[in-house]
């Protein structure tokens, strides 16, 4: 059996375009992606989308962020529902690789009971520091649920064969990471919020929010170099690119 990659849409968010590209006006509607890697040695989600509670009461989960986001999130679109489309029980997911701890990436952890969380050390430490929790708009209810934690310090080879590699891309948050997946026909990099949109990369336009702008710029330059070397980048919240993404149960490539 070879490695497979699936894309799931776990809701949509509409907010100010300036949140994605500083200084821009208007609004943008963006997908909330998560991905599943099926590898002969195990299964791994890359991010988990929104918390299922947002289907009933988004404001309760969003708190101070509620005025910033309109949430579209129907029953069945939560990560557990999406896993059903590929006949995988949530309890059988081995790993959740977390790009970072924001609500639209960590919200679905609660539905995946037995997975080990794979998170960069700087991110996990920030998620347990009250000042950094506030500064980064984290919600510990999303991730502080007693899962076993695999703390990564730099690049981490998930299955030991180089096919699924955590790549630190800090700046958006203290310990943000992207994921490189080597498929038979292509090398894919799931950038998550290290790069929201194609425009972010092409124009080096940073979003309004970034934990460390210099670090984020350096991570973008690294992603640019990887793309130039032949990798295909899947951006964190790009509605145009997402429109052409094969959705589960189809696999990518
Ligand atoms: Zn984020």
């Amino acid at each position: 059996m070879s490695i497979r990659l699936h894309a799931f849409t776990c809701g949509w968010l509409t907010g100010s375009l300036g949140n994605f590209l500083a200084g821009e006006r208007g609004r943008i509607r963006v997908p909330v992606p998560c991905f599943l890697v099926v590898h002969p040695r195990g299964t791994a989600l890359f991010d988990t989308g929104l918390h299922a509670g947002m289907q009933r009461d988004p404001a309760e989960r969003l708190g101070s962020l509620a005025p910033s986001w309109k949430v579209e999130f129907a029953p069945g679109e939560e990560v557990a529902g999406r896993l059903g489309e590929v006949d995988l029980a949530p309890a059988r997911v081995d790993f959740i690789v977390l790009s970072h701890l924001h609500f639209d990436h960590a919200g679905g952890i609660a539905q995946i009971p037995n997975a080990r969380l794979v998170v960069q050390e700087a991110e996990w430490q920030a998620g347990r520091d009250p000042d950094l929790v506030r500064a980064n708009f984290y919600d510990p209810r999303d991730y502080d649920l007693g899962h076993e934690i695999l703390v990564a310090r730099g690049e981490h080879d998930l299955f030991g064969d180089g096919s699924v590699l955590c790549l630190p891309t800090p700046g958006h948050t203290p310990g943000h990471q992207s994921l490189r997946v080597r498929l038979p026909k292509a090398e894919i990099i799931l950038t998550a919020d290290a790069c929201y949109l194609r425009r972010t990369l092409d124009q080096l336009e940073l979003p309004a929010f970034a934990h460390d702008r210099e670090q984020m710029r350096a991570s973008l330059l690294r992603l640019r170099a990887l793309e130039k070397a032949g990798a295909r980048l899947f951006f964190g919240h790009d509605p145009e690119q997402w429109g052409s993404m094969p959705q589960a149960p189809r696999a990518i490539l």
Side-chain angles (χ1 to χ4, degrees):
M1 188 177 94
S2 64
I3 182 169
R4 284 200 318 275
L5 178 65
H6 295 285
F8 304 134
T9 308
C10 295
W12 292 79
L13 297 171
T14 301
S16 151
L17 181 56
N19 284 341
F20 293 84
L21 299 164
E24 297 280 336
R25 301 167 75 93
R27 312 243 320 147
I28 184 171
R29 179 175 179 264
V30 301
V32 178
C34 73
F35 294 88
L36 174 72
V37 180
V38 181
H39 185 280
R41 292 184 203 150
T43 50
L45 280 166
F46 181 61
D47 289 337
T48 61
L50 302 166
H51 192 280
M54 281 210 191
Q55 290 167 353
R56 293 185 306 277
D57 189 356
E60 191 278 321
R61 297 292 309 184
L62 285 169
S64 65
L65 294 174
S68 305
W69 299 109
K70 181 188 151 207
V71 178
E72 295 166 74
F73 191 33
E77 294 177 351
E78 68 288 345
V79 66
R82 292 302 194 202
L83 286 169
E85 294 171 3
V86 293
D87 290 325
L88 182 62
R92 294 194 50 222
V93 174
D94 299 305
F95 298 102
I96 296 171
V97 178
L98 283 172
S99 63
H100 64 305
L101 299 175
H102 279 159
F103 70 94
D104 52 330
H105 298 261
I109 294 171
Q111 296 196 309
I112 314 294
N114 301 323
R116 198 187 294 186
L117 308 187
V118 183
V119 58
Q120 288 290 323
E121 184 173 39
E123 190 72 10
W124 193 243
Q125 284 178 349
R128 306 182 84 75
D129 176 318
D131 290 336
L132 289 173
V133 164
R134 262 192 304 279
N136 286 287
F137 305 98
Y138 297 144
D139 184 347
R141 294 179 301 168
D142 284 335
Y143 53 81
D144 212 354
L145 300 169
H147 289 72
E148 197 179 327
I149 313 293
L150 196 164
V151 173
R153 298 175 183 89
E155 290 187 359
H156 177 76
D157 183 348
L158 195 61
F159 295 110
D161 62 356
S163 63
V164 183
L165 185 74
C166 301
L167 287 178
T169 44
H172 175 70
T173 56
H176 188 283
Q177 62 183 347
S178 302
L179 193 71
R180 189 190 76 190
V181 183
R182 284 204 162 129
L183 297 175
K185 291 188 193 157
E187 178 166 307
I188 308 281
I189 294 173
L190 310 174
T191 71
D193 289 0
C195 188
Y196 283 144
L197 309 168
R198 160 58 62 192
R199 265 178 79 185
T200 317
L201 192 74
D202 287 352
Q203 302 169 22
L204 284 185
E205 278 196 72
L206 266 56
F209 169 86
H211 170 73
D212 183 323
R213 303 185 78 75
E214 277 319 298
Q215 265 191 346
M216 184 163 187
R217 196 177 298 275
S219 291
L220 281 169
L221 291 174
R222 185 175 184 206
L223 290 170
R224 244 191 199 179
L226 289 165
E227 183 178 59
K228 211 169 167 194
R232 276 187 63 186
L233 305 190
F234 291 176
F235 304 110
H237 292 285
D238 192 314
E240 268 176 45
Q241 184 185 50
W242 199 248
S244 60
M245 189 76 67
Q247 298 282 308
R250 287 174 64 199
I252 293 170
L253 299 174

